[in-house]
């Protein structure tokens, strides 16, 4: 049997950072459904927020983040995020990250939305990519064992404690039980639960769903970020850096409509505000073809676009046929980021002993109801590093947890029974149809604007889809690289998460950050200044509320 | 538009040898080859190929398109389909076919190790770097490790092409203690290296143009 003291699941920024810091003291391995360098962290363009200059202050970063979170962020976690930030950026710089430089040779910084200061460290618009590859190089240097294209299937829980995992090797089409003292989940977000998303095909929320099934608490799942500027049609992201560098949003009349919504911050208001503004413009008939608005960079000049936004330019030319240096880009909002996730403390501990989580899969919660641009990449490295340290510490002092033969056997049996219980094959139905139905419901009924009866209807429809899913016959062929089987499993994860997201959104009768209820348009601190906690129950998720940690900043009205 | 994908199939569990299967799909001209492949997959869910970002940044979808290695998500279908509306898709050449369009990447990732693929930070590094220098590093740092260069070019020396690109980036890095000694480590004669650097932008989907190497 394979054994590793610390098993990291996920090879993106959070996972690799956790692996590198845990490897200083423990035997570590990384299990990842993609080769680590293929992780979605590599698509991040804009940058990592951290206070590097003398004019800026950690205090200001904390305040911007608390305010951006619409006061739902836990302030103790936000303090950690902002205070550890500069140190981690410098650590990455020593490891070889080619940050873009200022004329004096220091690390350059650009403004991103919701920040009072140019605070994002970047490498052109390949910020996530370069850091991901540098961390991968370091993982090679440390000879960290990597299991590429292996999937986490189940967390094995013995006496209430995680004692290992059931994993599936795509190339050999075989399952393996892996024992570990600590499992760190770093499996990223669930963007593909929405029909319109900026996220990669692999982002199906596996870790959140698997942790939930194992009994871990998820938090604030109804808070879903919609990015204002994605290419119309493909929803490929056009980074906030495009607005950070001075881009304008214009409606069909050519007007910079943000003046009506956020007169001070204009295009650089937080994402929830900008996404709602765009939809309102479109809804009220001021969009192009009634479907999109323009992001205009033409006044910035070709030289700046070429130097600072080369990827944005390439993406727009290829996928929209528009050179942003000479013509405006057609854009629409789309799902982008999951604020919710596996509830953790500031060292990554989840509610299940033996299970830690970091990065987008986790809810620590630094983003609260709305994440600021540049804070998520920072979160992956800051909390990835902390989770790695804590994991190594736990591995050093705890004995190997018992993993009984019965638990392992039960898990293997439930895996194989999936293929052989003689269920009726519903010929007309397919994973594809069910998944398409679920993700369209999410985009149309659980999106930027939400309203009670539509949410209730979504919850009902999702229940029906789950029933249909249970009737499906899994693609059972034992063949290598069985992507049909993966699609089947991922659809199951997505359905579980959709149910929690829609249910949480229905329950929360207020508007806060990215969660906007047309029928309850105000924030309601009296009743709803709290985290939504979700646990798996007999008949779907069971919801409750948990307190928000407020240290220094009392909730105020959030104007921009 | 209607397009026929002619895809190389091979399942080691049942097939003695590879064969081609045709898929008829209907796509818009501005869709990518990857979009077309995903449609084919809906017709035949047993078809295997790697994909993730669908925006030319993860390096998963490298395949041979009409005989030329490239990224499926970068290639527009209207550019790939000839007048006859056909596209031939095969696994990357120089790589071992494991299943349909999926190739064995282990030797590829192993090959990186030959160039000590990490910055060996100098003790006296000040933490400052001129903007021009960092800009030079940026270009080779956009390598997505897709493997297209390994499939399209012969190794100019002992290091495989993608490993060489990494080695060259590290050579340019003022933080690195090995610096130009790396060139010796890679064991490529200067004129061959020059030629490699010259040819790379045309073969590499990211158009990587390495500049600033003194030979
Ligand atoms: C297009 C785009 C641009 C962005 N730009 C920015 C930005 O500029 N600034 C910013 O702060 N944030 C940005 N974000 C958000 C940020 O990039 C992500 O939140 C962050 O990178 C997530 O990192 P992660 O390590 O948590 O997860 P990921 O990088 O998504 O990695 C997840 C890992 O888990 C593995 N995995 C998943 N499921 C399984 C399973 N079942 N078994 C085994 N392994 C599994 C995957 O293989 C992968 O290695 C952007 C996001 C997108 C989509
Ligand atoms: S150099 Fe270019 S072709 Fe080669 S692996 Fe990197 S991105 Fe791919
Ligand atoms: S799918 Fe990522 S490069 Fe093509």
């Amino acid at each position: 049997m394979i054994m590793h003291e610390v098993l990291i699941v996920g090879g993106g920024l959070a996972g690799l950072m956790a692996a590198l810091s845990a490897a200083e003291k423990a035997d570590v391995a990384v299990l990842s459904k993609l080769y680590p360098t293929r992780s979605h962290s590599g698509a991040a363009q804009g940058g990592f927020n951290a206070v590097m200059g003398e004019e800026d202050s950690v205090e200001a970063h904390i305040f911007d983040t608390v305010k951006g979170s619409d006061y739902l962020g836990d302030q103790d976690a936000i303090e950690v995020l902002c205070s550890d930030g500069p140190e981690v950026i410098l650590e990455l710089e020593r490891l070889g990250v080619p940050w873009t430089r200022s004329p004096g040779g220091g690390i350059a910084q650009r403004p991103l939305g919701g920040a009072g200061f140019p605070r994002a460290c970047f490498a052109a618009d390949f910020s996530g990519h370069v850091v991901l590859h540098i961390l991968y190089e370091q993982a090679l240097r440390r000879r960290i064992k990597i299991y590429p294209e292996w999937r986490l299937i189940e967390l094995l829980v013995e006496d209430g404690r995680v004692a290992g995992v059931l994993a599936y090797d795509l190339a050999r089409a075989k399952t393996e039980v892996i024992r570990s003292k600590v499992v760190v989940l770093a499996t990223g977000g669930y963007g593909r639960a929405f029909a319109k998303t900026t996220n990669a095909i692999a982002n199906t929320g596996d870790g959140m769903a698997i942790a939930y099934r194992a009994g871990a608490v998820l938090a604030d799942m109804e808070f879903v970020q919609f990015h204002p500027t994605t290419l119309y049609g493909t929803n490929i992201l056009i980074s906030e850096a495009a607005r950070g560098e001075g881009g304008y949003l214009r409606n069909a009349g050519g007007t910079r409509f943000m003046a009506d919504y956020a007169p001070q911050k204009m295009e650089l208001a937080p994402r929830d505000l900008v996404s709602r503004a765009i939809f309102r413009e479109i809804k009220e008939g001021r969009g192009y073809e009634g479907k999109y608005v323009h992001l205009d960079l033409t006044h910035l000049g070709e030289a700046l676009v070429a130097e600072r936004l080369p990827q944005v330019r390439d993406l727009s030319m290829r996928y929209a046929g528009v050179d942003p240096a000479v013509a405006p880009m057609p854009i629409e909002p789309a799902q982008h980021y999951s604020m919710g996730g596996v509830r953790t403390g500031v060292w990554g501990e989840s509610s299940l002993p033996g299970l830690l989580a970091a990065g987008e899969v986790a809810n620590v919660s630094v983003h609260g109801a709305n994440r600021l641009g540049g804070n998520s990449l920072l979160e992956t490295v800051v909390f990835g590093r902390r989770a790695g340290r804590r994991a190594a510490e736990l591995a050093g002092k705890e004995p190997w947890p018992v993993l009984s033969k019965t638990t392992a056997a039960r898990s293997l049996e439930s895996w194989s029974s999936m293929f052989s219980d003689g269920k009726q094959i519903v010929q007309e139905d397919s994973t594809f149809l069910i998944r398409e139905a679920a993700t369209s419901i999410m985009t149309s009924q659980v999106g930027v604007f939400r309203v009670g009866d539509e949410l209730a209807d979504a919850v009902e429809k999702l229940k029906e889809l789950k029933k249909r899913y249970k009737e499906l016959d899994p693609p059972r062929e034992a063949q290598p690289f069985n992507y049909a089987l993966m699609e089947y499993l991922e659809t199951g994860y997505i359905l579980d998460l959709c149910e929690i997201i829609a249910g949480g959104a229905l329950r929360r009768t207020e508007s806060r950050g990215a969660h906007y209820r047309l029928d309850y348009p105000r924030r309601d601190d009296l009743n709803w200044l709290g985290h939504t906690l979700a646990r798996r129950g007999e008949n779907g998720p069971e919801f409750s509320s948990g307190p928000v940690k407020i240290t220094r900043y009392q909730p105020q009205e959030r104007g921009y | 538009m209607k397009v026929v994908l002619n895809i190389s199939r091979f399942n080691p569990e049942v097939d003695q040898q590879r064969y081609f299967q045709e898929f008829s799909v209907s796509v818009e001209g501005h869709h990518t080859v990857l979009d077309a492949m995903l449609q084919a997959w809906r017709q035949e869910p047993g078809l295997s190929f790697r994909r993730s970002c669908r925006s030319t940044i993860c390096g998963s979808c490298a395949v041979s398109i009409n005989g030329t290695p490239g990224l499926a998500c970068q290639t527009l279908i209207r550019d790939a389909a000839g007048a006859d509306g056909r596209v031939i898709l095969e696994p990357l050449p120089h790589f071992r076919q494991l299943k349909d369009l999926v190739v064995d990447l282990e030797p590829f990732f192993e090959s990186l190790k030959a160039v000590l693929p990490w910055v060996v930070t100098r003790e006296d590094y000040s933490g400052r770097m001129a903007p021009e220098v960092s800009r030079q590093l940026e270009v080779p740092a956009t390598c997505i490790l897709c493997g297209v260069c390994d499939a399209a070019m012969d190794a100019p020396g002992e290091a495989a092409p993608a490993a060489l690109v990494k080695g060259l980036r590290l050579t340019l890095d003022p933080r690195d203690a090995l610096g130009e000694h790396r060139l010796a480590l890679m064991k490529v004669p200067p004129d061959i290296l020059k030629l490699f650097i010259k040819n790379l932008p045309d073969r590499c989907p990211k158009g990587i143009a390495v500049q600033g190497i003194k030979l």
Side-chain angles (χ1 to χ4, degrees):
Chain A
M1 190 182 297
I2 306 173
M3 292 172 71
H4 292 286
E5 286 183 316
V6 176
L7 183 69
I8 314 271
V9 186
L13 286 177
L16 290 180
M17 200 70 189
L20 287 169
S21 57
E24 287 169 14
K25 296 214 179 96
D27 157 49
V28 181
V30 175
L31 182 92
S32 179
K33 78 178 186 185
L34 303 171
Y35 274 87
T37 56
R38 316 269 187 248
S39 302
H40 197 54
S41 288
Q45 303 165 10
F48 296 64
N49 287 341
V51 171
M52 307 302 288
E54 311 240 302
E55 308 87 69
D56 198 3
S57 74
V58 170
E59 208 47 50
H61 188 186
I62 294 173
F63 177 70
D64 286 345
T65 305
V66 171
K67 181 178 171 192
S69 81
D70 219 347
Y71 297 90
L72 192 66
D74 285 318
Q75 296 182 13
D76 57 342
I78 294 174
E79 284 170 23
V80 169
L81 177 81
C82 304
S83 319
D84 281 11
E87 183 189 310
V88 182
I89 294 295
L90 291 176
E91 187 180 322
L92 293 172
E93 133 84 359
R94 286 195 71 77
L95 296 179
V97 171
W99 299 116
T100 297
R101 303 289 165 153
S102 60
I107 296 172
Q109 291 181 288
R110 65 161 49 120
L112 290 178
F117 208 81
R119 192 178 284 146
C121 307
F122 62 100
D125 53 4
F126 295 97
S127 311
H129 173 81
V130 296
V131 179
L132 180 66
H133 282 244
I134 295 293
L135 293 184
Y136 179 67
E137 291 171 2
Q138 294 297 320
L140 293 179
R141 177 183 199 170
R142 301 275 176 80
R143 296 171 198 273
I144 292 172
K145 171 76 185 160
I146 293 172
Y147 295 92
E149 303 190 312
W150 284 50
R151 304 227 170 184
L152 171 70
I153 300 293
E154 192 186 343
L155 292 164
L156 303 177
V157 182
E158 190 80 50
D159 290 331
R161 188 194 190 295
V162 172
V165 308
L166 181 70
Y168 177 78
D169 175 1
L170 200 59
R172 289 184 305 141
K174 287 220 157 58
T175 48
E176 296 274 358
V177 171
I178 304 179
R179 285 188 60 189
S180 63
K181 290 184 176 177
V182 187
V183 174
V184 181
L185 275 185
T187 49
Y190 55 63
R192 289 279 158 169
F194 286 74
K196 284 176 187 278
T197 176
T198 61
N199 283 202
I201 295 173
N203 288 23
T204 46
D206 309 11
M208 287 182 208
I210 293 168
Y212 166 77
R213 290 174 186 181
V217 172
L218 304 187
D220 295 339
M221 293 294 285
E222 66 273 30
F223 293 97
V224 180
Q225 180 162 78
F226 299 89
H227 198 289
T229 60
T230 78
L231 288 179
Y232 173 66
T234 56
N235 301 119
I236 286 170
L237 180 78
I238 296 302
S239 168
E240 199 161 272
R243 282 169 289 138
E245 297 293 346
Y248 295 153
L249 288 168
R250 297 184 193 278
N251 62 21
T255 309
R256 282 180 71 191
F257 56 85
M258 284 310 297
D260 296 339
Y261 302 89
Q264 279 167 27
K265 289 258 149 112
M266 295 292 287
E267 278 82 1
L268 287 178
R271 292 176 178 172
D272 55 334
L273 269 164
V274 183
S275 288
R276 284 198 290 275
I278 294 174
F279 269 134
R280 193 143 275 156
E281 290 297 302
I282 295 172
K283 217 166 146 191
E284 291 174 4
R286 293 186 292 276
Y288 288 89
E289 300 173 34
K291 289 175 183 153
Y292 56 90
V293 297
H294 274 164
L295 174 56
D296 186 358
L297 309 185
T298 53
H299 56 286
L300 300 179
E302 185 175 345
L304 187 130
V305 174
E307 185 190 322
R308 288 286 176 91
L309 302 165
Q311 182 169 213
V312 161
R313 188 179 197 188
D314 184 58
L315 292 172
S316 172
M317 284 172 50
R318 184 172 320 279
Y319 299 109
V322 172
D323 178 354
V326 296
M329 297 176 274
I331 57 106
E332 65 174 336
Q335 192 285 346
H336 181 59
Y337 183 82
S338 14
M339 267 81 74
V342 177
R343 182 71 180 150
T344 71
V346 292
W347 286 98
E349 321 89 322
S350 75
S351 62
L352 266 185
L355 182 69
L356 273 54
E360 193 167 338
V361 68
N363 168 288
V364 45
S365 124
V366 288
H367 311 302
N370 173 61
R371 164 174 85 83
L372 295 186
N375 267 356
S376 164
L377 288 180
L378 182 65
E379 176 194 18
T380 61
V381 289
V382 165
F383 288 98
R385 188 171 80 150
R386 286 169 78 89
R389 284 187 183 163
R390 174 53 56 96
E393 209 176 284
L394 290 172
K397 65 179 188 218
E398 291 196 12
W400 280 92
V402 177
L403 178 63
S404 66
K405 285 224 168 63
T406 26
T407 303
R410 198 186 324 111
S411 165
L412 280 166
E413 209 179 284
S414 93
W415 170 264
S416 31
S417 74
M418 189 170 75
F419 302 100
S420 57
D421 66 356
K423 267 181 276 183
Q424 189 77 32
I425 302 175
V426 185
Q427 296 286 4
E428 326 71 80
D429 215 352
S430 79
T431 321
F432 295 116
L433 294 175
I434 294 175
R435 186 156 166 178
E436 258 166 30
T439 58
S440 325
I441 292 170
M442 295 306 282
T443 285
S444 61
Q445 291 176 235
V446 196
V448 173
F449 291 113
R450 299 167 169 177
V451 63
D453 49 3
E454 282 188 15
L455 289 169
D457 179 63
V459 170
E460 283 312 306
K461 283 186 186 145
L462 288 165
K463 276 211 184 88
E464 281 307 307
L465 290 172
K466 273 188 106 159
K467 272 195 206 128
R468 272 169 62 189
Y469 178 77
K470 289 211 178 83
E471 297 300 315
L472 284 179
D473 200 35
R476 65 183 74 206
E477 244 179 308
Q479 60 175 18
F481 300 96
N482 188 343
Y483 287 97
L485 177 57
M486 297 304 112
E487 176 85 358
Y488 170 81
L489 295 174
E490 291 169 355
T491 300
Y493 305 142
I494 282 179
L495 286 170
D496 277 3
L497 298 178
C498 289
E499 192 179 28
I500 306 167
I501 297 166
L506 176 61
R507 182 174 170 271
R508 188 177 279 273
T509 49
E510 66 155 353
S511 290
R512 183 185 297 273
H515 171 67
Y516 195 84
R517 289 278 301 254
L518 289 165
D519 44 354
Y520 297 91
R522 296 241 137 62
R523 193 173 85 192
D524 175 1
D525 288 337
L526 209 60
N527 295 303
W528 288 109
L529 182 58
H531 296 296
T532 304
L533 307 178
R535 278 186 195 78
R536 198 194 59 189
E538 287 289 312
N539 307 305
E542 283 169 6
F543 294 103
S544 59
S545 303
V548 175
K549 287 203 196 73
I550 293 175
T551 55
R552 272 184 284 178
Y553 301 104
Q554 290 303 317
Q556 295 167 10
E557 201 172 336
R558 183 168 162 259
Y560 284 95
Chain B
M1 67 198 260
K2 281 252 180 283
V3 173
V4 173
L5 302 182
N6 205 0
I7 302 182
S8 173
R9 302 287 318 263
F10 174 69
N11 178 358
E13 307 278 322
V14 292
D15 300 327
Q16 299 291 330
Q17 56 192 27
R18 55 162 94 173
Y19 62 98
F20 279 94
Q21 186 178 355
E22 290 193 350
F23 296 89
S24 181
V25 298
S26 127
V27 283
E28 307 281 325
H30 67 271
H31 283 167
T32 63
V33 170
L34 180 65
D35 292 326
M37 286 158 70
L38 287 166
Q39 276 202 33
W41 180 55
R42 291 192 60 143
Q43 297 169 20
E44 164 47 1
L47 178 67
S48 304
F49 54 90
R50 293 191 174 99
R51 66 278 189 162
S52 190
C53 73
R54 56 83 170 91
S55 58
T56 67
I57 194 68
C58 77
S60 298
C61 67
V63 291
S64 164
I65 304 167
N66 297 326
T68 308
L71 298 177
C73 72
Q74 188 181 39
T75 311
L76 299 186
I77 202 81
R78 65 165 169 253
D79 298 334
D84 58 351
R86 297 174 73 83
V87 183
I88 301 169
L89 297 173
E90 294 167 281
L92 284 182
H94 297 182
F95 286 74
R96 188 163 67 96
Q97 184 177 29
L98 292 179
K99 166 94 203 317
D100 302 337
L101 299 175
V102 175
V103 296
D104 187 1
L105 289 174
E106 281 308 308
F108 173 74
F109 280 99
E110 266 309 301
S111 76
L112 300 178
K113 294 182 183 163
V115 299
L116 281 188
W118 50 76
V119 171
V120 181
T121 315
R122 297 158 61 125
E123 289 296 324
D124 60 349
Y125 171 59
S126 70
R128 303 207 155 249
M129 195 188 292
E132 311 82 72
V133 177
S134 79
R135 214 167 295 139
Q136 269 180 355
L137 296 182
E138 234 165 53
V139 177
T142 59
C143 168
I144 58 176
L145 293 179
C146 64
V148 165
C149 51
D150 280 27
M153 300 164 88
D154 287 323
E158 293 195 1
L164 201 54
V165 172
K166 208 175 245 315
L168 291 173
R169 186 202 97 220
L170 293 164
T171 306
L172 290 169
D173 198 316
R175 283 168 288 206
D176 190 59
L178 297 173
E180 298 193 346
H181 297 298
R182 286 181 178 272
L183 289 175
L185 206 78
M186 291 184 282
K187 301 203 181 93
V188 198
D191 36 333
I192 297 191
L193 187 58
K194 254 188 215 152
L195 193 67
F196 172 79
I197 291 175
K198 180 167 164 271
N199 287 337
L200 183 65
D202 288 338
R203 307 288 163 80
C204 163
K206 302 306 279 185
I208 290 177
V210 182
Q211 277 168 358
I213 295 283
K214 288 184 215 76
L215 291 169

